[in-house]
Amino acid sequence: MRIDVVSIFPEYLAPLELSLIGKARQDGLLQLNVHNLRDFTTDRHRTVDDTPYGGGAGMVMKPEPWAQALAAVAAARPEAASADTEAPEAAAKPVLIVPSPAGERFTQATAQELAEEEQLVFACGRYEGIDERVMEWAADHFTVRPMSLGDYVLNGGEVAVLAMVEAIGRLLPGVVGNPDSLVEESHSDGLLEYPVYTKPSSWRDRDVPAVLLSGNHGKIAQWRRHEQYRRTAERRPDLLAEFDAGKLPRADRTAFADLGYDVVDGRLRRRPDAGAGRN
Ligand code: 6GU
């Protein structure tokens, strides 16, 4: 996979040289280029922003430096000549991800989808955002996807790009040493992860749950599943509405019943008379 990031703070992306993602770059599994938007300006002051039409607070990023930068990265696609010699529809367009609190929600499913792409481009906005015409212009060259990490506001897209590149990059073949660790983790099955423990078995008067020391793999798997249900019900009950409960074994239905949920038409439904929990 090739990833291009355009930002006015390229140094912000330095952590992508560390750890798993840095290793993936060294191993050639991930080709990652960071570009300075100011290198695509033509004025002496390398201006990237201006005042908003219609008035209001803050500054807006000017369109032309963005068009120059994005045209350059689109021309440098992995399938080298395809951008300028073929019809745009002949090769898959690279995906342009625009981090923004006004974007579509970035989830594990988004990460999985984007991990299949040949080339991703991230356009890091600052200030009040990028002139909207850039998004319209870019649609000829890219599949444009404004993306948000969640319902809060960051100062710019850089921190969001660090998160998204890590979430996507670790799904690429060979990046995570043991691919099994991608299987049983939070959100891969729509539930939160079960709690984990390591040695010593007793620590500061707290014992590891006995079932984990039992050697009974069936019992352990069931306990972990039920802990996933308990945690998800407590912390993220919204996730349970999406959960496919149609084929649950009886012990799992009982576990959900104890948490105040019944299975109705394959879906979990919170029992109206159920006590304490949230929602
Ligand atoms: Cl992706 N970008 C910015 N600037 N703020 C955010 C965000 C992204 N996600 C949540 N807040």
Side-chain angles (χ1 to χ4, degrees):
M1 171 180 279
R2 174 178 171 137
I3 294 180
D4 291 277
V5 183
V6 184
S7 163
I8 59 167
F9 295 123
E11 321 83 68
Y12 233 119
L13 288 308
L16 295 176
E17 288 173 20
L18 305 175
S19 189
L20 237 54
I21 300 298
K23 176 78 167 23
R25 291 172 76 178
Q26 277 176 13
D27 295 348
L29 302 170
L30 178 62
Q31 200 189 333
L32 200 149
N33 317 282
V34 180
H35 312 268
N36 189 342
L37 180 68
R38 292 194 199 275
D39 292 344
F40 299 89
T41 59
T42 51
D43 66 310
R44 203 162 61 85
H45 296 105
R46 316 227 297 164
T47 311
V48 294
D49 62 336
D50 207 336
T51 54
Y53 277 119
M59 299 290 270
V60 174
M61 295 191 107
K62 292 164 66 63
E64 189 56 23
W66 277 110
Q68 295 293 337
L70 296 176
V73 297
R77 300 169 56 166
E79 303 91 351
S82 59
D84 46 346
T85 62
E86 292 173 33
E89 62 272 21
K93 290 177 186 172
V95 178
L96 177 64
I97 298 157
V98 186
S100 162
E104 159 200 357
R105 184 68 168 270
F106 180 88
T107 66
Q108 189 64 25
T110 321
Q112 277 156 1
E113 200 182 302
L114 294 173
E116 305 291 320
E117 297 287 336
E118 280 295 314
Q119 186 185 7
L120 303 177
V121 178
F122 291 88
C124 297
R126 283 261 149 187
Y127 317 117
E128 300 307 307
I130 304 171
D131 188 305
E132 187 65 21
R133 293 168 294 182
V134 173
M135 277 29 96
E136 298 164 19
W137 167 86
D140 289 345
H141 308 271
F142 300 91
T143 302
V144 182
R145 296 189 68 177
M147 284 273 152
S148 169
L149 295 189
D151 295 339
Y152 47 85
V153 179
L154 304 171
N155 282 334
E158 286 79 5
V159 166
V161 168
L162 292 176
M164 289 189 274
V165 169
E166 182 156 316
I168 296 162
R170 63 195 294 284
L171 299 177
L172 300 176
V175 173
V176 168
N178 180 0
D180 287 349
S181 52
L182 299 177
V183 177
E184 290 188 11
E185 61 188 10
S186 288
H187 300 294
S188 59
D189 57 3
L191 297 170
L192 303 186
E193 181 59 291
Y194 51 77
V196 295
Y197 302 87
T198 187
K199 293 177 271 300
S201 64
S202 186
W203 175 78
R204 299 195 180 199
D205 294 331
R206 289 159 202 276
D207 294 338
V208 169
V211 61
L212 298 179
L213 311 178
S214 71
N216 183 332
H217 299 294
K219 270 256 167 22
I220 291 169
Q222 185 188 71
W223 180 85
R224 287 178 165 167
R225 239 178 18 255
H226 292 184
E227 285 298 301
Q228 286 191 276
Y229 302 158
R230 188 185 55 71
R231 260 194 180 178
T232 310
E234 186 174 311
R235 300 178 185 176
R236 292 294 306 278
D238 58 301
L239 295 178
L240 294 182
E242 306 293 318
F243 186 72
D244 178 8
K247 298 191 183 69
L248 286 181
R250 184 143 65 156
D252 291 49
R253 285 171 193 255
T254 305
F256 272 120
D258 292 345
L259 294 167
Y261 288 85
D262 294 325
V263 178
V264 182
D265 297 333
R267 293 283 154 186
L268 293 168
R269 182 182 294 175
R270 179 115 176 108
R271 222 180 303 115
D273 66 337
R278 294 183 295 139
N279 287 14

